[in-house]
Amino acid sequence: MQSTNDIRRAFLDYFAANDHQVMPSAPLVPYNDPTLMFVNAGMVPFKNVFTGLETPPAPRAASSQKCVRAGGKHNDLDNVGYTARHLTLFEMLGNFSFGDYFKERAIELAWGMVTKELGLDKDRLCVTVYHTDDEAAGFWKKIAGLPDDRIIRIATKDNFWAMGADGPCGPCSEIFWDHGPAIAGGPPGSPDEDGDRFVEIWNLVFMQHLQEADQIVSDLPRPSIDTGMGLERIATVMQGVHSVFETDTFRALIAASEDKSGAKAEGDKAASHRVIADHLRSTSFLIADGVLPSNEGRGYVLRRIMRRAMRHAHLLGAAEPLMHRLVPALVQEMGQAYPELPRAQALIQEVLEREETRFRQTLDKGLRLLDEETASLGEGDSLPGETAFKLYDTFGFPYDLTEDALRARGIGVDKAGFDAAMAQQKAAARAAWKGSGAAADGEVWFDIAEREGATEFTGYASTEGEGRV
Ligand code: ATP
Ligand code: MG
Ligand code: MG
Ligand code: MG
């Protein structure tokens, strides 16, 4: 069996041997894009290169980039633990051409990587292309020899990439692996494509146009290539398993979670262990890159992830704070590839332990309230927004934690009611303050208090930039 660490190495070695410069992973907090919460694709550190603002480090590059998709446009948080393929933190293996090679060579390199280097069975691979991209379809036929019915034309945005309303854009082509008929789901573009049978492993973006205000205005004089393959997904395929949580890395983390919590990963406890293992990775990497839990911005996203993991630790019946005790296993698995982890290990453990100790003081009470309020509810019902707000305001339950807590029972949450309760409380607090006679200065104080206190953070959902491959 090829380990995840071996596969990362094999990918980078292959592209180095094909004249690509291997670049280290950039930190998760983007240095070049204030509108983006976290780096969420391998191309993000190269955005300014693709737009011509920065000179490329080399004509061709490759990397394994840590990515977080837990907020904003690409939010996979709710999927984690429940699909076979989504993680909040994953590594994106990518190769890039900055005005150097284009479509044909990109397809040739990708096909060589999956079928020759990794030795995957060609009969279980299929690809998609953008419906008008005859060129890409032609190269897939010529290079891979795939039959027409496994070169699937897709007309949706899934196969058209754009950096934003203005900037480079172009069609993309995705490579899928067929996990076999035992798993439900159909090929991409079919009515049952949402199943987990056909899993996207690699996305190739052909940047060939320039757009302004969402309209293509010209062709790029020197088109570029941006690709991304999920390391954990390709490891899943290589290790002959179906879910990313069954790969070597996650087996080790789940084993540590079983060991330290004293609960086996069986029955409904299995999902809790998966969530814990995933959230351990994202929270640890975020802390190592300088993000600390807080009530706004990046820190609030981190806190939401942490608290969600901590509720699952509680569900497992862990008597003591759990998360910080799993960090050594993570460092063991990933510390060599990511030296920032062992470097920040003491800090990561301290932050996790402090947050979990604090949160456990109200978690119990909050969960009891939630139980009482939902005792008479069943599948298809929803929790009043007022109650979700009380859990948030009094017990520090981020909204999505309440949602996650009710998910297994099929109970939803009244989001509009939650938002209304939040708005009402803010308005009332402001009015009360104004009523006290304080004028303009009071407003400033109130804003600071609101930022630093236990109130909400709303910025991440609205303005996030595009960083998808
Ligand atoms: P999906 O459709 O499965 O959600 P995507 O099209 O959103 O994937 P891309 O933006 O194309 O993903 O990212 C490139 C690659 O990164 C994907 O082909 C996949 O292998 C991997 N990837 C994307 N999101 C995740 C995730 N949440 N967890 C693990 N790997 C991921
Ligand atoms: Mg996605
Ligand atoms: Mg996709
Ligand atoms: Mg994709």
Side-chain angles (χ1 to χ4, degrees):
M1 181 191 82
Q2 251 183 313
S3 71
T4 300
N5 284 320
D6 291 344
I7 298 167
R8 184 193 305 107
R9 188 72 271 145
F11 179 92
L12 297 174
D13 286 350
Y14 170 81
F15 281 99
N18 282 289
D19 298 321
H20 288 65
Q21 176 157 334
V22 174
M23 307 288 292
S25 176
L28 283 166
V29 176
Y31 77 98
N32 58 354
D33 186 350
T35 70
L36 186 67
M37 181 143 291
F38 300 121
V39 169
N40 58 12
M43 61 78 63
V44 171
F46 303 114
K47 269 187 167 180
N48 290 340
V49 174
F50 286 119
T51 55
L53 283 173
E54 284 174 24
T55 18
R60 298 162 299 278
S63 66
S64 179
Q65 173 65 48
K66 47 191 172 179
C67 296
V68 167
R69 293 190 176 182
K73 208 163 204 165
H74 290 286
N75 187 358
D76 290 336
L77 183 61
D78 293 334
N79 287 327
V80 169
Y82 306 96
T83 70
R85 69 180 202 279
H86 288 109
L87 299 165
T88 54
L89 176 125
F90 64 97
E91 291 179 66
M92 202 184 282
L93 302 167
N95 57 291
F96 308 95
S97 152
F98 307 112
D100 190 72
Y101 62 82
F102 196 46
K103 223 173 267 190
E104 178 168 16
R105 182 70 181 140
I107 289 175
E108 208 170 72
L109 284 166
W111 191 249
M113 180 71 213
V114 289
T115 59
K116 295 202 186 76
E117 285 305 308
L118 299 177
L120 294 187
D121 178 359
K122 173 182 153 177
D123 293 336
R124 292 177 68 179
L125 291 163
C126 65
V127 302
T128 60
V129 296
Y130 192 53
H131 65 135
T132 54
D133 195 355
D134 296 332
E135 214 178 23
F139 289 134
W140 278 119
K141 197 170 175 133
K142 181 176 115 185
I143 294 162
L146 288 173
D148 289 340
D149 66 340
R150 282 198 286 125
I151 304 173
I152 301 159
R153 287 175 186 256
I154 304 275
T156 65
K157 287 267 177 214
D158 268 356
N159 281 69
F160 196 89
W161 177 90
M163 195 180 279
D166 303 287
C169 64
C172 38
S173 182
E174 298 187 325
I175 307 178
F176 287 75
W177 175 254
D178 180 359
H179 279 273
I183 294 147
S190 71
D192 52 346
E193 66 175 345
D194 284 338
D196 267 335
R197 173 171 169 181
F198 290 84
V199 173
E200 175 186 334
I201 53 171
W202 203 345
N203 200 353
L204 316 182
V205 178
F206 311 124
M207 281 185 214
Q208 61 189 92
H209 312 293
L210 191 67
Q211 66 175 15
E212 282 170 18
D214 278 323
Q215 298 297 317
I216 295 175
V217 290
S218 59
D219 287 343
L220 294 173
R222 299 178 63 193
S224 290
I225 290 293
D226 153 32
T227 86
M229 171 156 70
L231 173 61
E232 299 79 1
R233 292 196 191 174
I234 189 66
T236 303
V237 173
M238 295 302 292
Q239 295 175 13
V241 290
H242 174 239
S243 153
V244 288
F245 295 101
E246 296 170 284
T247 58
D248 54 346
T249 309
F250 279 95
R251 275 182 205 274
L253 298 180
I254 289 171
S257 177
E258 288 183 301
D259 178 40
K260 303 288 182 207
S261 69
K264 284 258 149 252
E266 291 163 355
D268 52 7
K269 292 203 160 44
S272 290
H273 283 290
R274 292 196 291 268
V275 171
I276 288 169
D278 170 81
H279 291 11
L280 171 72
R281 296 200 335 156
S282 46
T283 55
S284 299
F285 273 88
L286 285 170
I287 297 167
D289 280 348
V291 183
L292 291 172
S294 75
N295 284 326
E296 64 166 11
R298 300 189 168 99
Y300 188 62
V301 175
L302 170 63
R303 174 163 281 163
R304 287 195 304 145
I305 305 174
M306 287 171 112
R307 292 195 167 177
R308 184 189 265 233
M310 289 161 186
R311 183 187 72 90
H312 283 279
H314 183 272
L315 271 182
L316 293 177
E320 297 289 320
L322 175 69
M323 297 299 286
H324 69 288
R325 291 183 288 144
L326 308 179
V327 178
L330 176 65
V331 171
Q332 171 78 27
E333 287 301 307
M334 301 187 73
Q336 211 164 5
Y338 293 95
E340 61 269 39
L341 274 186
R343 224 181 290 135
Q345 182 170 355
L347 174 71
I348 297 168
Q349 291 175 180
E350 195 187 306
V351 171
L352 284 171
E353 183 175 10
R354 200 184 331 127
E355 182 83 7
E356 196 165 352
T357 305
R358 259 182 63 188
F359 187 47
R360 284 170 71 95
Q361 291 165 2
T362 55
L363 181 64
D364 240 343
K365 290 191 205 126
L367 288 173
R368 232 175 292 138
L369 173 79
L370 189 61
D371 280 345
E372 285 162 20
E373 297 284 340
T374 56
S376 60
L377 301 184
E379 196 153 347
D381 290 338
S382 81
L383 181 78
E386 290 260 339
T387 315
F389 180 71
K390 185 169 169 200
L391 284 164
Y392 164 80
D393 199 37
T394 315
F395 301 103
F397 280 35
Y399 174 82
D400 67 85
L401 189 150
T402 303
E403 242 180 14
D404 190 55
L406 296 176
R407 176 180 179 133
R409 291 168 55 200
I411 300 172
V413 185
D414 168 23
K415 176 78 165 66
F418 175 86
D419 290 342
M422 173 86 80
Q424 197 179 13
Q425 193 219 40
K426 283 170 81 172
R430 269 182 198 275
W433 183 260
K434 284 199 181 113
S436 74
D441 286 347
E443 198 68 14
V444 173
W445 179 88
F446 187 85
D447 284 342
I448 294 170
E450 188 173 69
R451 251 200 337 266
E452 301 303 319
T455 44
E456 112 274 43
F457 161 76
T458 53
Y460 62 86
S462 42
T463 54
E464 184 153 344
E466 175 63 85
R468 132 192 260 264
V469 271

